[in-house]
Amino acid sequence: MPFIEIIDRDATEEIREVATKDMTDGLCQAFGIKPEIVTCYYFSAPHYSYGHAGKYGKNAENFRIFIKVHAFPRPQDAKETAAQAITEAVATAYGASPKDVIVYFFDRSPTDAFHAGKASA
């Protein structure tokens, strides 16, 4: 914990490799944590799995890359710093506009995270 879920489209391994390193580095700096506890999971959404502004698939105007950060609660300023670093990392790695990178934080209590069947708290 924390872990990052990335929903992208047709990304190469090279793009994901760069994004993984830079997102991890940014999150670690913002949260004051070590990279050994950060995991990234990638999910691809082909054009037929996406709709935006009432338009579907290839007709959708923008494809947004969604980032979900699941972590123990952090102060708002740390989340803002992390969101900026993650946005920059993804925009650079994917060649995307920062406005098309969306970051959501999902705070998890240590009592809700289990490793090897044991609560983290």
Side-chain angles (χ1 to χ4, degrees):
M1 191 70 148
F3 69 91
I4 304 170
E5 291 181 70
I6 303 94
I7 302 171
D8 62 13
R9 177 185 295 162
D10 301 327
T12 64
E13 288 184 38
E14 292 79 12
I15 288 171
R16 287 178 170 180
E17 183 175 4
V18 170
T20 297
K21 180 189 179 311
D22 293 345
M23 285 189 299
T24 299
D25 290 348
L27 188 63
C28 288
Q29 287 181 336
F31 283 8
I33 58 176
K34 295 180 180 186
E36 292 80 15
I37 66 169
V38 178
T39 304
C40 296
Y41 295 97
Y42 289 88
F43 303 92
S44 289
H47 72 274
Y48 57 83
S49 298
Y50 182 78
H52 178 71
K55 296 178 182 175
Y56 172 73
K58 292 181 180 178
N59 296 318
E61 294 174 18
N62 298 331
F63 179 82
R64 294 185 172 155
I65 301 170
F66 282 94
I67 312 294
K68 299 180 201 176
V69 180
H70 300 264
F72 298 148
R74 299 284 197 266
Q76 185 65 25
D77 62 332
K79 289 180 187 180
E80 290 172 2
T81 300
Q84 186 61 42
I86 289 169
T87 298
E88 289 175 14
V90 170
T92 299
Y94 285 80
S97 169
K99 71 178 182 62
D100 291 329
V101 178
I102 313 301
V103 180
Y104 284 81
F105 288 88
F106 294 86
D107 289 347
R108 306 287 184 210
S109 168
T111 60
D112 291 332
F114 291 77
H115 293 209
K118 297 183 180 169
S120 296

